[in-house]
Amino acid sequence: MDNISEESAARRRELKEHLARFNCRVHQAGDPPFFTREPKPDMQSVHWRWSDLQPLLERIGHEVDLAAAGPRRTLRLHNPGLAVGTTHTFWGSIQVILPGEVATAHRHSASALRFIMKGQGAWTTVEGECYPMAEGDLVLTPAWTWHDHVHKGDEPMVWLDVLDISLMKSMEATFFEPYAGDVQPVHTLPDSSWRAFGSGLMRPPGAKPATVNPLLAYPFGMAETALNAAAGLPADPCDDVILEYQNPTDGSPAMRTLGMQLQLLRAGFNGQRRRHTGSKLYYVVRGQGVTTVEQERYEWSQGDFMVIAPWAWHQHQNNTSQDAMLWQVNDLPTLKLLHYFREEFQP
Ligand code: GTQ
Ligand code: FE2
């Protein structure tokens, strides 16, 4: 369609106005092609350094109050290639909550999750189940569940929020509802979903088959134990030691649209290069290493984030003498559900 002759282009231009009256058009010279041979994402791969983020978080802790839109105090990881969002499907934001603060209850059709970065003493309540959050924990807020956060500790707490907002918006499925009060009543035992399903090995025999993941909390200690056990398996050529957070009732990803994984890149690991559809955001839990994304080298260390654009070649290396741990969130479950997932490996 792009080799349109001058004569044809002129005829198409003439048609344009007439067709527009009927809400129709033909392809015009200069229109972007509707197919590219492979993905050409608007989103860019980006590296955020903790040394830059930390002072910004302190600043918003002082200068931004818990006002409208939630109310939440967040520093969004903004992708310079997009109008909004960290990737074209999800938003990652760092939430800061100060001692005594309450992030009031609401629910939304976007799925949300939190990975705790710093501090302790904040409790989140999801559908009446409260959970005390600690560093390294993953806590889920499935679509349309009531949730609020209350900080009962005595130091600021910081966590990563991830919501599939851009995916939801592209589907025009945005719903939001504030709760009638500040916080919901707590009506079950603390950690009840974890008590029932958290081992991943055993479950209450009477529990009815769940249509969504019934487990809301994935404590860091258990995830780390599982990862250390998996270190005895043969290494993954790209990712070394990696585990996915799963729905313990059927082994599917912990959320339907977003996937979360925890991995070890052991000292000396030199990974294989690969690319795939879908976007992913990494958080460096500990250690140091290098991820090469196309032509760029991201030399990362604890607290850094990086986001990898779809179909970008990337490769992880740990050239230090200490193991490194990365946590990631991605939109791969959505791509797989829609049969849009593809990957390639460099031999
Ligand atoms: O904590 O409920 O970063 O609703 C964005 C939207 C956090 C939350 C965000 C939200 C929340
Ligand atoms: Fe929310």
Side-chain angles (χ1 to χ4, degrees), residues 275-296:
R275 62 179 177 179
H276 53 74
T277 53
S279 54
K280 57 189 179 187
L281 173 68
Y282 287 99
Y283 171 66
V284 182
V285 179
R286 66 169 79 116
Q288 284 174 270
V290 180
T291 297
T292 308
V293 184
E294 296 287 345
Q295 263 51 267
E296 304 232 49

Side-chain angles (χ1 to χ4, degrees), residues 27-96:
H27 190 93
Q28 297 286 333
D31 278 357
F34 39 78
F35 293 128
T36 53
R37 293 191 77 96
E38 49 182 46
K40 301 280 181 212
D42 290 329
M43 77 158 276
Q44 296 169 19
S45 300
V46 186
H47 178 197
W48 291 269
R49 287 183 178 78
W50 179 245
S51 54
D52 293 326
L53 295 173
Q54 187 181 19
L56 302 177
L57 292 167
E58 276 185 30
R59 195 158 166 198
I60 71 160
H62 290 121
E63 296 180 21
V64 176
D65 55 4
L66 282 192
R72 307 290 188 260
R73 180 192 296 106
T74 60
L75 185 71
R76 294 184 194 158
L77 299 174
H78 174 69
N79 195 294
L82 302 173
V84 290
T86 310
T87 84
H88 53 290
T89 59
F90 62 82
W91 295 31
S93 309
I94 306 173
Q95 183 160 166
V96 180

Side-chain angles (χ1 to χ4, degrees), residues 142-178:
W144 209 238
T145 54
W146 294 110
H147 55 282
D148 52 75
H149 322 299
V150 179
H151 196 351
K152 305 178 185 177
D154 47 22
E155 44 166 349
M157 219 174 137
V158 177
W159 62 73
L160 175 72
D161 291 315
V162 180
L163 293 92
D164 57 359
I165 292 177
S166 297
L167 177 66
M168 175 193 72
K169 277 181 163 318
S170 73
M171 300 287 167
E172 296 295 10
T174 304
F175 294 90
F176 175 89
E177 193 179 351

